[in-house]
Amino acid sequence: MSSSERYAFGDYVLERAQRRVLRSDGSSLGLSPRLYDALLLFVERAGELLDKDALMDALWPGLVVEENNLSQVVSGLRRALGDDAQGGRYLQTVPRRGFRFVAPVVALPAAGASPLVDAGATSATLPPSQAEPSSPASAPPTHPVDVTSADIGVTAESPSRRTLVVAAASLAAAAGLGGAAWWLRRQPPPSGGPASGGALAVLPFKPLVVEGRDELLEVGMADSLIARLSLVPGLVVRSVGSVRRYAGPDQDPLRAARELDVGWIVDGSLQRRGDRLRITARLLSAADGVAAWSGSFDEQVTGVFDLQDAITERIARVLAPRLDRGAAASPSLPRDAGGSRNADAYALYLAARQYAQGLREAGLRKSIELYNRAIEIDLSYALAYAGLVESYRRMIFGADAAPIEAFEPAKVAADRALALAPGLAEG
């Protein structure tokens, strides 16, 4: 092996050719292919700040994934290496930016080297890690249903130490991606081709006034429009998970279109005052930024479903003649696309989605409770059943749930979602 084929850090040696990591006793550390690729990236660039977008590009090239996927990989590495939740020994979290490998790393020679060396004796001391901050609960928006502030704000709590077996089984993925090679060969996604021309992203709606904003509804509008527009023949619609990072008042829709590799972007804003809702929306061409359609609506909150229908129908009609597989010039779309037209159920659904984002046990259990409350109100709420599936799946990461305890109820919920809405992408 060349000197760059073996690295020592802490109590471990990474052997690139063998794609393995050895402990001090010579036993192999059980890592899934993606965890190994991530560790190789960190070790080869020890001491450097690796931003989240670059890491996601390297580990999932050509794919749009949620930031939670990266968080799960980092958590899995920390558990496998015996690091604490804040990454005090190996993986440091740099708030709102990315991660840094802080353990000293030594490149071992090809022959005659000890399996493990005291890396600290030959490397400069790196700065201590910073604790990973917990996200404060946001102020609850007003809803037509009695969803309490405890329902809306996700309480941050320290995650428990996960077992290596659960981490490896839960995080196992497809074969490795050749970490360093992918890192060096990262290229921007293609734009302007047939795929992007027939692809669309709906961004979270921006607040017209930041003070008193309804953050749940901002993402909820995008979520509902994505579900409806995904049924337009020939139109590829990016998932809500891929657009969630563009939430907030400072989003740049054309930059988002380039990063998501789409030909069209739906950009909007909303303001809620009591039971009144003011919404503007527009359909932009990513190629030149020209608005192919725009509209403004002023309605009662209980009429939000009619607004979503109107926006969806108008966008579908504008795009229909431009799509490869020829949607009808006046497409007839299902009114609900797996959703609900009950304002109380909808408010509970939005709160449940918010709770599920934190990957904390308390939040995930609360999201399951809220999804079930939404279903009690509207038994035909297919999207709520699909949300249950995701929350149960995340219980493996966030609550050390045994797979059988999570997958069995998830399967029941998924079957129900598809029985109610056979074309539902989430189901």
Side-chain angles (χ1 to χ4, degrees):
M1 293 182 182
S2 68
S3 61
S4 62
E5 289 291 325
R6 301 173 71 224
Y7 298 96
F9 56 94
D11 298 325
Y12 304 97
V13 165
L14 184 150
E15 297 183 339
R16 182 204 297 275
Q18 301 295 326
R19 286 187 64 82
R20 67 182 181 183
V21 178
L22 299 178
R23 299 184 181 92
S24 56
D25 62 2
S27 62
S28 182
L29 186 65
L31 294 177
S32 70
R34 184 157 287 137
L35 286 182
Y36 173 86
D37 291 334
L39 181 58
L40 179 62
L41 285 175
F42 281 119
V43 166
E44 290 197 317
R45 303 175 73 93
E48 295 183 34
L49 171 61
L50 304 184
D51 69 79
K52 295 178 181 179
D53 288 344
L55 284 168
M56 289 190 286
D57 287 346
L59 295 172
W60 292 274
L63 299 177
V64 178
V65 298
E66 296 184 31
E67 191 173 305
N68 278 334
N69 292 67
L70 178 60
S71 298
Q72 290 168 11
V73 167
V74 171
S75 296
L77 278 178
R78 284 173 174 164
R79 289 192 293 268
L81 296 173
D83 206 358
D84 56 46
Q86 286 73 37
R89 189 175 182 190
Y90 293 107
L91 280 172
Q92 176 193 73
T93 297
V94 180
R96 294 180 295 280
R97 295 191 61 189
F99 303 91
R100 180 186 289 113
F101 196 81
V102 295
V105 175
V106 171
L108 298 180
S114 170
L116 291 174
V117 299
D118 182 4
T122 55
S123 300
T125 302
L126 295 173
S129 66
Q130 298 175 4
E132 188 171 356
S134 59
S135 299
S138 56
T142 304
H143 288 278
V145 66
D146 183 19
V147 181
T148 66
S149 59
D151 291 336
I152 301 300
V154 181
T155 302
E157 61 176 20
S158 299
S160 61
R161 177 67 60 88
R162 317 289 193 259
T163 64
L164 175 60
V165 173
V166 172
S170 301
L171 291 168
L177 303 173
W182 280 113
W183 180 273
L184 294 173
R185 283 185 250 155
R186 281 168 46 234
Q187 296 187 13
S191 59
S196 61
L200 174 142
V202 183
L203 301 185
F205 277 45
K206 294 180 286 192
L208 278 175
V209 179
V210 176
E211 197 172 315
R213 60 186 290 197
D214 190 336
E215 295 182 54
L216 295 188
L217 190 56
E218 291 166 16
V219 177
M221 281 293 296
D223 183 38
S224 299
L225 293 176
I226 287 168
R228 287 163 163 80
L229 288 167
S230 65
L231 299 177
V232 176
L235 183 62
V236 176
V237 184
R238 298 290 185 251
S239 70
V240 68
S242 66
V243 302
R244 187 179 294 274
R245 56 182 161 150
Y246 299 104
D250 299 323
Q251 61 180 241
D252 180 348
L254 295 183
R255 178 177 66 85
R258 290 192 299 272
E259 294 175 352
L260 294 168
D261 188 27
V262 294
W264 300 91
I265 200 91
V266 178
D267 165 65
S269 60
L270 64 83
Q271 180 181 14
R272 179 173 179 166
R273 286 188 175 179
D275 64 348
R276 301 296 300 180
L277 193 62
R278 177 169 297 173
I279 289 179
T280 63
R282 55 182 181 164
L283 174 67
L284 301 177
S285 167
D288 52 19
V290 173
W293 169 81
S294 63
S296 298
F297 308 88
D298 197 341
E299 263 284 1
Q300 287 191 328
V301 171
T302 53
V304 66
F305 310 111
D306 294 328
L307 297 183
Q308 293 166 353
D309 288 340
I311 294 171
T312 302
E313 291 286 345
R314 187 58 181 152
I315 291 172
R317 291 181 184 182
V318 171
L319 291 182
R322 310 168 194 247
L323 299 178
D324 294 337
R325 290 195 290 269
S330 298
S332 177
L333 299 175
R335 282 171 61 82
D336 299 324
S340 173
R341 302 189 76 80
N342 183 291
D344 291 353
Y346 184 59
L348 288 164
Y349 170 81
L350 295 182
R353 287 187 64 88
Q354 178 75 2
Y355 263 104
Q357 297 306 308
L359 279 179
R360 298 286 189 266
E361 180 177 0
L364 291 169
R365 294 192 184 281
K366 189 65 178 180
S367 74
I368 291 172
E369 175 196 333
L370 295 176
Y371 280 131
N372 280 315
R373 285 171 58 187
I375 290 168
E376 288 174 4
I377 295 173
D378 186 347
L379 296 176
S380 63
Y381 205 163
L383 280 171
Y385 281 105
L388 270 178
V389 177
E390 184 65 10
S391 290
Y392 277 120
R393 185 186 72 82
R394 294 182 177 196
M395 285 289 287
I396 293 177
F397 302 109
D400 280 336
I404 193 171
E405 296 174 358
F407 292 154
E408 286 192 354
K411 176 66 162 59
V412 172
D415 287 341
R416 182 59 180 158
L418 290 174
L420 291 166
L424 185 65
E426 289 84 349

